[in-house]
Amino acid sequence: MILVLSTSSSISSIAWIDEGVLIWSGEMEAPRSASHAVLSLLEESKILLSVAAGIVADLGPGSMTGVKVGVTLAKTWGFALGVHCAGITAFDLIDPTGPVVVTPRRGEHWVRHPGEDPRRLTADEIGQDQILDLIARSRTPKASNALGLKEKLDWIAPQGLVPLYLSDPLISQAKKRLTLLEPRL
């Protein structure tokens, strides 16, 4: 069985898929608690993690911390179980066949049209009716939507799994350079 994790939005989800059949899926509202949500859903599924033959993680874009949590869980469990991992984008977990807008943070929107690389929407584009409609129609990524996306999965060793960060991190810069003092003798 394959375990799929999605933690890139405020709703975390997992799905168990076996030979193209959805065995179990669940989701939980989890703003700022993706790891708790995934572990709770795993327990709720009553399926032992040890049966996973592979683990798929939502690579984002989305909440930087949420994506990091999902990828870290997938990598850790992949190492522990000795199984391969695969990544799938939040775009594909929303809709693999149509245009999708993802809003990783307030005021920032990324659009992906099938067959194209994602791109940031400009302020002028966001005001257009068709873009506003697309933003309104875009949904939350769901792990269960990985069903049928087998051809998009590239199975790799856990250490090769990396998040899809499209935005620069919002990390403050040090105000002055810190240096280590010479030890006194």
Side-chain angles (χ1 to χ4, degrees):
M1 268 197 282
I2 304 301
L3 173 62
V4 183
L5 313 171
S6 178
T7 56
S8 65
S9 74
S10 63
I11 298 176
S12 294
S13 61
I14 73 166
W16 285 99
I17 298 172
D18 191 23
E19 298 192 21
V21 176
L22 181 63
I23 303 299
W24 189 91
S25 70
E27 60 184 52
M28 180 182 288
E29 183 75 30
R32 299 181 183 187
S33 60
S35 59
H36 170 75
V38 168
L39 294 173
S40 296
L41 290 167
L42 190 59
E43 184 177 355
E44 187 180 316
S45 78
K46 299 193 182 340
I47 299 172
L48 297 176
L49 183 59
S50 60
V51 303
I55 301 174
V56 178
D58 176 349
L59 301 178
S63 158
M64 193 167 283
T65 302
V67 171
K68 192 173 9 177
V69 165
V71 169
T72 300
L73 287 171
K75 290 170 85 163
T76 302
W77 291 338
F79 277 121
L81 297 171
V83 299
H84 281 88
C85 294
I88 193 160
T89 70
F91 296 112
D92 286 331
L93 289 176
I94 294 171
D95 182 359
T97 62
V100 177
V101 172
V102 172
T103 305
R105 64 173 75 124
R106 187 176 301 148
E108 182 179 280
H109 305 283
W110 290 80
V111 65
R112 192 271 342 247
H113 293 277
E116 297 178 13
D117 288 335
R119 67 177 180 78
R120 187 188 313 244
L121 290 171
T122 66
D124 290 338
E125 288 176 304
I126 293 170
Q128 296 172 2
D129 288 341
Q130 70 270 21
I131 296 296
L132 289 172
D133 183 52
L134 185 57
I135 292 170
R137 285 187 292 118
S138 289
R139 301 171 310 279
T140 301
K142 292 187 181 188
S144 59
N145 289 343
L147 186 65
L149 296 176
K150 188 176 182 179
E151 71 281 353
K152 288 191 176 253
L153 300 178
D154 183 21
W155 292 99
I156 56 174
Q159 67 268 23
L161 197 62
V162 293
L164 173 64
Y165 293 137
L166 297 177
S167 306
D168 293 328
L170 294 175
I171 298 174
S172 63
Q173 300 295 320
K175 294 189 176 34
K176 68 177 188 175
R177 185 170 180 210
L178 299 175
T179 58
L180 295 176
L181 299 174
E182 293 289 324
R184 294 184 184 180
L185 299 178

